[in-house]
Amino acid sequence: MALTQVSSNKCAGGFQKVFEHDSTELKCKMKFAIYLPPKAETDKCPVLYWLSGLTCTEQNFITKAGSQLAAAEHGIIIVAPDTSPRGCNIEGEDESWDFGTGAGFYVNATQDPWKTNYRMYSYVTEELPKLINANFSTDPDRMSISGHSMGGHGALICALKNPGKYKAVSAFAPICNPVQCPWGQKAFTGYLGADRSAWEAYDATVLAASYSGPQLDILIDQGRDDQFLSASQLLPDNLIAVCSEKKIPVVFRLQPGYDHSYFFIYSFINDHIKHHAKYLNA
């Protein structure tokens, strides 16, 4: 599948690039960012997939998170896709900031008019890794996943739904129990329909309750002053309780004074990359 390079910038000894391609899964052009550490010039490197949150594109993470220095140090490629299909000419796709464009929620939609294009789950777990492995110096057996907010939800479900596929998972302020929060209920109703049992396939708290795969060490950072935590959108306590019961290892850090922004992510991204490096470079 042909890739078109959109941009390339030398960064931390490697290159921060953006590419565009025609997605077979999403039936539209998609962009993704990829950081190639210096090590990628001579060796196959593991890949960390980063899933961004509501309203974001591939740009937010690469310009605000400050991940490149740590990725260069640990020899990790970081791939950051867009958060949804764009320009699909679906009626209503641009009406809300938390549904439609910029808000794919990393599910495979089953409802009209979304089901043709809004297949971000399959894009992130299948199409994109195949594309990356075919075009870059990667080790296909070493990949992990992380994300923020809606993308934290995405990272958790991808890891929990695919035991053994990802070596590690982490999240910043993830939407942990979307079937129980307003954001999730709105998105899941639109993309998956009114049957709430269909929603459970994309809920980290529900998935953790039935997880039976290899050990998956989870790292979650949550800002104590996050406005969406107090608004009951994120519900980390629900996930932590289930993981504790199921003996799924979780390091949950409630960070005083931090909010939901990229200032928060920037402050702790090095810890997350170290967490992934421990498993990716083992």
Side-chain angles (χ1 to χ4, degrees), residues 31-47:
K31 289 179 182 174
F32 66 86
I34 182 168
Y35 178 70
L36 300 168
K39 190 177 181 183
E41 294 181 16
T42 56
D43 296 296
K44 291 186 179 296
C45 294
V47 183

Side-chain angles (χ1 to χ4, degrees), residues 160-189:
L160 291 166
K161 285 170 73 69
N162 296 278
K165 188 181 184 82
Y166 301 96
K167 299 295 185 188
V169 61
S170 75
F172 289 85
I175 304 171
C176 293
N177 197 185
V179 301
Q180 299 291 348
C181 80
W183 277 341
Q185 291 164 354
K186 177 178 179 177
F188 287 1
T189 300

Side-chain angles (χ1 to χ4, degrees), residues 160 163 207-215 246 248:
L160 291 166
L207 291 168
S210 60
Y211 182 77
S212 60
Q215 180 170 308
K246 292 287 291 184
I248 298 171

